[in-house]
Amino acid sequence: MEPRRHKERRKKVQICVICVICGFFLFLTSRAYGVLEGERGASDVVKEENQPEFSKLFTIVIENKKDGKVIVKGDEETVVGRDYLIAPNIKDDEEKIIGTVLSAAGTVNKQGYTASGWARAGTVAATAVNAIHIKVAQSGEKGVLFSILPKEFYEKPKDYKSYYSSSSSIITDIPAGTLMFGGGFSPFIGNKVFLLKDGERIPIPENYSPVEGDVIEVSVEQPLPLPSQIEFENRFGGFIRLRYVNGEEKVIGQVLKPVAGVGRFDGSLYADVGRIRANHTGVICVSTSPVGQIGGFQIIPENHGMSAEMKFARLLTQWMVVGPPAVDDPSTEGTAPLFSYFIRPIYFPIDERGRTLEEMLDMYIVQVRKSNGEWERMPTVTGRVDDALLSVTHIRILFPIEADFLRQ
């Protein structure tokens, strides 16, 4: 006979799921009179974030051949590369080898994941602890892609459900969750990608397909200024607030379906608790599990929530669905600051020496408030737990702190 406490918990989860589903269909009804399905773009309130100035940080150079080098180059007095795996500074025209290519890419994938269709050709379409995807062209509703992967994907992990294509991937010996896969050299969505060919540096052409021996460059640029945080009120109709260090604050969207549960998102295996696992033009994925375990939740824009690929987001509790601030504004796929330019999965685990101040300033960290209380660390939850975040009333993403601001 089922214990009483188990019955009560199961009933609680069932009520939670029913409320989330009902709320989702309520938001569909309310939005039906505003945005037409498929309409996407930036609302006026985030016009500046979608037309920012950029500061060049560094360049990632990848030789697409077996035993080819993966190099990071500094640019004009910028100081970058504060990663715990390598020497601390790269500046001027200094170069550092951060890895080696295990397997070259020999083709492109003409049918990428759905959200790749909202990225711009010739740019980074996704940045994550377990992959970097680069878009070269559009094919129907999806992007044509090639990828850069960490060493864990030299052979596809068993039962891996995320997007993966070995023939169109440059697989490196760099560990997932470090360096350009979630460490100090991670790119941003929208960073431009170039091909070094016949002594010239040219944008990746739309008909491009990787050939062994090609040299690829990712120009990592940061938008200016970076916000200090983005806060989500985790309720139906909750505000999404963007804040800057100078005190500026604005409402940039609304929560159309709150998150209540944690699920088995494969890439969270390589990300720590409260860390950005991935960001692309249709998702922010947050880990709730320690490295080596699986657990997390996702924040997605509304039209993506209605795609065939995301059908479970309409039925389960592990997804927060967000929309623009006004009912007649377009959906936010591929727009800043949530789904372009601003977020990357930088995080530095504590080792035997702890963390340096520079590392702490560079990190993106996700925190929560429970029952409108004080801000606290993301709870540690692994596996699928449908009501794990039911008491969470607020979620915020803390951005890196600019050292220059601290010196003022």
Side-chain angles (χ1 to χ4, degrees):
M1 191 172 180
E2 187 179 16
R4 181 178 178 182
R5 67 178 181 276
H6 290 171
K7 287 183 178 179
E8 291 176 349
R9 178 178 173 81
R10 182 160 53 84
K11 184 177 180 181
K12 180 181 178 183
V13 172
Q14 289 172 343
I15 293 172
C16 169
V17 173
I18 291 171
C19 289
V20 168
I21 294 173
C22 290
F24 187 80
F25 284 105
L26 282 174
F27 106 70
L28 285 181
T29 302
S30 66
R31 291 284 285 166
Y33 295 99
V35 178
L36 297 174
E37 183 179 354
E39 186 180 351
R40 293 180 298 273
S43 60
D44 289 342
V45 72
V46 288
K47 182 178 180 180
E48 292 181 0
E49 284 73 22
N50 283 274
Q51 299 175 355
E53 294 183 5
F54 289 94
S55 173
K56 181 73 174 289
L57 297 182
F58 52 88
T59 301
I60 301 170
V61 182
I62 303 164
E63 298 175 345
N64 182 40
K65 62 181 180 180
K66 182 173 173 53
D67 299 324
K69 297 181 182 66
V70 182
I71 301 169
V72 172
K73 298 170 58 176
D75 293 273
E76 296 182 1
E77 300 181 358
T78 57
V79 179
V80 299
R82 301 188 289 263
D83 195 287
Y84 71 104
L85 287 181
I86 63 171
N89 294 325
I90 292 182
K91 53 189 175 181
D92 298 329
D93 293 325
E94 188 178 358
E95 299 182 2
K96 285 195 177 292
I97 298 172
I98 63 169
T100 301
V101 172
L102 300 177
S103 177
T107 186
V108 290
N109 189 322
K110 295 183 179 180
Q111 284 296 309
Y113 55 93
T114 298
S116 65
W118 307 317
R120 290 186 304 280
T123 69
V124 172
T127 179
V129 298
N130 56 321
I132 297 169
H133 300 311
I134 295 170
K135 180 174 177 178
V136 299
Q138 190 80 6
S139 178
E141 295 182 351
K142 297 184 178 181
V144 177
L145 306 173
F146 71 94
S147 304
I148 308 165
L149 301 179
K151 69 177 184 179
E152 288 82 357
F153 294 83
Y154 189 65
E155 294 183 3
K156 182 180 179 180
K158 187 178 179 181
D159 299 325
Y160 189 70
K161 299 178 181 66
S162 292
Y163 173 81
Y164 177 85
S165 172
S166 60
S167 62
S168 60
S169 296
I170 302 172
I171 302 176
T172 73
D173 68 349
I174 298 172
T178 69
L179 298 170
M180 63 185 182
F181 302 111
F185 297 129
S186 299
F188 292 89
I189 302 169
N191 283 164
K192 295 177 182 178
V193 183
F194 298 87
L195 178 65
L196 298 184
K197 198 168 184 68
D198 300 326
E200 294 186 25
R201 181 175 182 263
I202 61 172
I204 290 286
E206 285 202 14
N207 61 351
Y208 177 70
S209 184
V211 174
E212 188 162 354
D214 283 351
V215 179
I216 294 158
E217 284 193 358
V218 180
S219 179
V220 180
E221 297 182 330
Q222 173 182 293
L224 295 175
L226 277 183
S228 61
Q229 62 180 269
I230 299 176
E231 179 185 315
F232 304 80
E233 292 183 355
N234 191 37
R235 60 179 177 82
F236 295 109
F239 291 142
I240 303 171
R241 293 183 173 91
L242 181 69
R243 297 190 176 101
Y244 286 92
V245 178
N246 64 5
E248 180 187 356
E249 175 181 318
K250 55 186 176 181
V251 174
I252 63 168
Q254 59 180 310
V255 174
L256 304 174
K257 173 179 172 285
V259 62
V262 163
R264 300 184 183 95
F265 297 102
D266 288 326
S268 58
L269 184 70
Y270 310 108
D272 206 352
V273 179
R275 177 179 176 182
I276 300 291
R277 196 279 298 177
N279 187 208
H280 65 57
T281 46
V283 80
I284 301 170
C285 187
V286 179
S287 175
T288 63
S289 60
V291 174
Q293 300 184 56
I294 292 177
F297 66 91
Q298 294 190 340
I299 301 169
I300 63 174
E302 60 178 308
N303 279 348
H304 192 31
M306 292 303 296
S307 67
E309 186 179 82
M310 299 302 298
K311 63 181 179 181
F312 290 114
R314 303 193 287 275
L315 302 173
L316 301 180
T317 62
Q318 287 76 15
W319 286 268
M320 173 188 286
V321 180
V322 299
V327 71
D328 56 351
D329 286 335
S331 189
T332 57
E333 287 83 1
T335 64
L338 299 182
F339 306 111
S340 187
Y341 295 153
F342 282 82
I343 297 173
R344 54 181 180 152
I346 291 185
Y347 183 88
F348 298 93
I350 299 176
D351 61 13
E352 64 276 0
R353 61 169 173 72
R355 293 190 184 111
T356 68
L357 175 61
E358 288 180 331
E359 288 170 351
M360 293 178 67
L361 294 179
D362 270 354
M363 296 193 298
Y364 287 75
I365 298 172
V366 186
Q367 297 178 323
V368 300
R369 290 172 61 191
K370 298 178 182 177
S371 304
N372 296 305
E374 298 297 319
W375 288 107
E376 60 182 87
R377 189 175 188 266
M378 176 69 62
T380 300
V381 186
T382 60
R384 175 179 169 180
V385 185
D386 289 340
D387 62 346
L389 305 178
L390 195 58
S391 65
V392 170
T393 54
H394 299 76
I395 297 169
R396 72 176 176 184
I397 301 171
L398 295 177
F399 280 67
I401 299 173
E402 294 298 318
D404 289 342
F405 177 82
L406 296 178
R407 297 188 189 102
Q408 292 179 0

